[in-house]
Amino acid sequence: MQQIIMRNFKDLVSQIYSESPVSLHRPKFDGNEKKYLVECIDSNFVSSVGQRVVDFETSVAKFTGARFAIATVNGTAALHISMLLAKIKPGDEVITQALTFVATSNAITYSGALPVFIDVDRDTMGMSPLALRKFLESSCEKRDGVIKNRISGRRIAGCVPMHTFGFPCRIKEIVAICNEWGIPLIEDAAESLGSYVGEQHTGNFGLLATLSFNGNKIITSGGGGMILTNDEMLAQQAKHLTTTAKIPHAFEFIHDEIGYNYRMPNLNAALGCAQLEQLMRFLQIKADIAKKYAKFFQEFPSIKFIFPILGSRANYWLNTIILESPAERDAWLAYTNANGIMTRPIWRLMSSLPMFKNCQHDGLKNSYWLESRVLNIPSSVPDGLVTPIYA
Ligand SMILES: *Cc1c(COP(=O)(O)O)cnc(C)c1O
C-alpha cells in the first residue's frame, strides 16, 4: 500500500515541479533582485550603511504590523541581541522547545543562560501552553517578583516559543501564561513570515521577536535577520547593540558599551527588498501547492497532512506530513530521496545533542513522537507558468 502511495506522490510532485532532483525549498529570484543588487553596487554603499537597510526595515515593519524592525546579519544574531535586551543574564534559565532548529538554543547560551526544554503540541509542532503551565506550576515558584526553578535554583528569565515550519503555535495562550508569571516572551518567528494568528502577524505577541532571511526561508536576503518589537526603547537599544554601540557623530568614533557588528549589509538588504515585493505572490502560490498536497493525502487516512489550527493562517513555508510509524517515515525518506525528491526529517531533539543533553526537560512526550514521524516535502515556489498547474 505504502509503495503505491509513494509512487503516486512522486507523480504529483513531478506535476508541480519540473526541476530534477526536486529540492525541498530553494529560493526564487524573478523580481527586481538583480536590478536592486546592481544599483546597490553602483552606489558604493554595499556594507552596513545604506538606504536599502532602512527601506527593508520599514517594509518588514509594515508587512508584519510591528512598530519597529531592526535588520541583522542573520536570524541567530537577532535572537542573541533579543536575549540581551530581555535582560537574560549568565546563570539564568530560558524556557524553549526541544523541537526546534539549533539556533534557538544556541542563542540562549550566548547570553550565558541555559535552555530548559518543554514539550510541543502534536498539531502545531510548537510550544504547548499546557506543558508550559505544568512546568511552571510543578517546578517553579515566584518570590519577590523573581521566578525560580525549584529544582535547579536558577532564575527563569525568558520564554522562547517557535512557530515550526510556519504553523503558528498557541501563542495567545502562551502570552497569557507568561504575563501571569511575569516572564519576558521572545518569539522565534524565523519560519513564520506571512503566518497569522487571527489578524495579527506572528512576531507581534511578545516583548521581542526575530525573523530569518537565510537562503532556505520563505524569502531571503542571502543571509539576514530582523528583530521586531513594539517598544521604542528596545528598538533603539537593538539598533545600538547591533552597530558596535557607536554613538552617532559626524566624525568621531565613540562607543559607550560592548557592542556587536551584527548590522545587515546594504547588499543583503537590496536582495531582501526585492524578495519582499514577491512575498504576497509566494504566499498565494504556496497556499495553492498546500491545497494540492492536502487533496492528495486526504485519501490516505494513515498519513496526516498538517494544517494550521483553527483561527490561524500558515505561510506553508515547509509542507509537512506525519506518517503512522517511524518505520513508515523512514521508508518514505528512503524512497523519495532515492527517486529525486528531496524530503527531510524534522530536527533531532535539542535535549539529545551533546551540548544540551544535561539541560532539564519535561519528558517531551509529543516531541519524541513527532521526531520519529515528521516528513517535510518539497515546498518551493515552482518555475514556469503557475496557472496551468493549479487549474
Ligand atoms: C532559520 C532559523 C533561525 C535563524 O537562522 P539564521 O540562519 O541564523 O538566519 C532561528 N530559528 C529557527 C527556528 C530557524 O528556522
Side-chain angles (χ1 to χ4, degrees):
M1 182 61 181
Q2 284 296 318
Q3 280 298 325
I4 296 167
I5 304 175
M6 288 191 290
R7 214 176 313 133
N8 290 346
F9 174 71
K10 185 178 165 237
D11 291 343
L12 171 68
V13 170
S14 53
Q15 273 174 41
I16 302 174
Y17 297 103
S18 55
E19 58 177 352
S20 175
V22 181
S23 51
L24 188 69
H25 200 283
R26 58 166 172 68
K28 186 150 183 75
F29 305 116
D30 57 355
N32 285 319
E33 287 85 356
K34 286 178 186 163
K35 178 169 177 263
Y36 291 177
L37 282 171
V38 169
E39 281 171 11
C40 182
I41 292 167
D42 288 345
S43 78
N44 286 334
F45 285 93
V46 293
S47 208
S48 53
V49 174
Q51 188 55 39
R52 281 295 180 196
V53 186
V54 179
D55 291 347
F56 192 36
E57 289 175 332
T58 310
S59 310
V60 168
K62 189 164 170 231
F63 187 90
T64 58
R67 277 186 70 205
F68 304 98
I70 299 90
T72 57
V73 285
N74 55 51
T76 310
L79 276 167
H80 179 194
I81 295 298
S82 298
M83 300 300 153
L84 301 179
L85 294 179
K87 297 196 166 58
I88 288 154
K89 301 275 190 255
D92 286 342
E93 285 179 348
V94 175
I95 301 168
T96 190
Q97 351 182 145
L99 197 69
T100 182
F101 178 58
V102 71
T104 320
S105 302
N106 279 344
I108 290 169
T109 66
Y110 298 166
S111 66
L114 287 169
V116 174
F117 300 115
I118 69 155
D119 209 4
V120 294
D121 286 326
R122 284 192 188 184
D123 52 1
T124 67
M125 299 174 288
M127 185 178 282
S128 160
L130 273 175
L132 175 63
R133 183 177 290 285
K134 196 168 155 209
F135 168 75
L136 288 169
E137 287 179 356
S138 67
S139 307
C140 301
E141 63 190 11
K142 192 170 181 173
R143 218 188 290 153
D144 305 325
V146 179
I147 322 295
K148 273 257 163 92
N149 179 340
R150 272 192 268 111
I151 295 159
S152 66
R154 297 175 190 274
R155 184 175 80 112
I156 301 285
C159 178
V160 190
M162 198 276 285
H163 304 288
T164 305
F165 306 139
F167 297 98
C169 66
R170 292 186 165 77
I171 191 70
K172 283 186 176 171
E173 288 87 334
I174 293 169
V175 170
I177 297 167
C178 286
N179 286 346
E180 199 181 303
W181 282 76
I183 300 172
L185 180 79
I186 299 149
E187 242 180 305
D188 185 346
E191 305 185 352
S192 64
L193 182 62
S195 301
Y196 295 79
V197 176
E199 290 308 308
Q200 205 168 332
H201 194 284
T202 52
N204 267 303
F205 290 87
L207 186 65
L208 294 143
T210 59
L211 302 175
S212 167
F213 305 104
N214 190 35
N216 65 341
K217 297 299 200 292
I218 190 161
I219 61 165
T220 183
S221 58
M226 200 79 80
I227 299 167
L228 305 179
T229 184
N230 294 315
D231 184 314
E232 191 167 6
M233 270 290 275
L234 288 178
Q236 279 171 9
Q237 287 169 357
K239 172 82 188 292
H240 191 61
L241 273 181
T242 52
T243 52
T244 65
K246 184 180 180 295
I247 297 183
H249 191 282
F251 46 80
E252 289 265 26
F253 295 100
I254 306 168
H255 307 259
D256 63 354
E257 62 182 308
I258 294 176
Y260 297 82
N261 183 14
Y262 278 178
R263 187 96 176 132
M264 178 185 283
N266 206 39
L267 206 49
N268 295 87
L271 188 58
C273 285
Q275 284 270 284
L276 193 60
E277 291 173 356
Q278 305 295 319
L279 182 55
M280 290 303 284
R281 189 170 66 92
F282 287 178
L283 287 169
Q284 183 58 53
I285 293 169
K286 288 169 84 68
D288 286 346
I289 293 172
K291 233 181 256 170
K292 224 166 164 77
Y293 279 141
K295 187 158 168 263
F296 176 84
F297 287 112
Q298 202 176 13
E299 291 174 42
F300 310 107
S302 70
I303 303 172
K304 188 175 156 42
F305 180 78
I306 296 275
F307 290 105
I309 57 168
L310 206 67
S312 70
R313 255 187 298 155
N315 62 4
Y316 288 104
W317 170 52
L318 288 186
N319 289 290
T320 306
I321 57 172
I322 300 179
L323 282 307
E324 205 166 33
S325 70
E328 265 179 26
R329 200 274 307 268
D330 293 347
W332 271 74
L333 269 172
Y335 177 89
T336 48
N337 285 289
N339 282 279
I341 297 171
M342 198 170 165
T343 62
R344 286 292 178 262
I346 201 166
W347 315 280
R348 289 288 170 88
L349 299 191
M350 293 302 108
S351 51
S352 65
L353 303 182
M355 59 285 193
F356 300 124
K357 69 179 192 313
N358 295 324
C359 295
Q360 190 179 340
H361 66 76
D362 69 355
L364 307 170
K365 203 163 153 250
N366 294 334
S367 307
Y368 277 108
W369 190 87
L370 286 165
E371 184 193 31
S372 59
R373 287 170 180 78
V374 164
L375 189 76
N376 286 132
I377 56 180
S379 302
S380 314
V381 173
D383 280 329
L385 271 177
V386 169
T387 339
I389 301 171
Y390 306 104

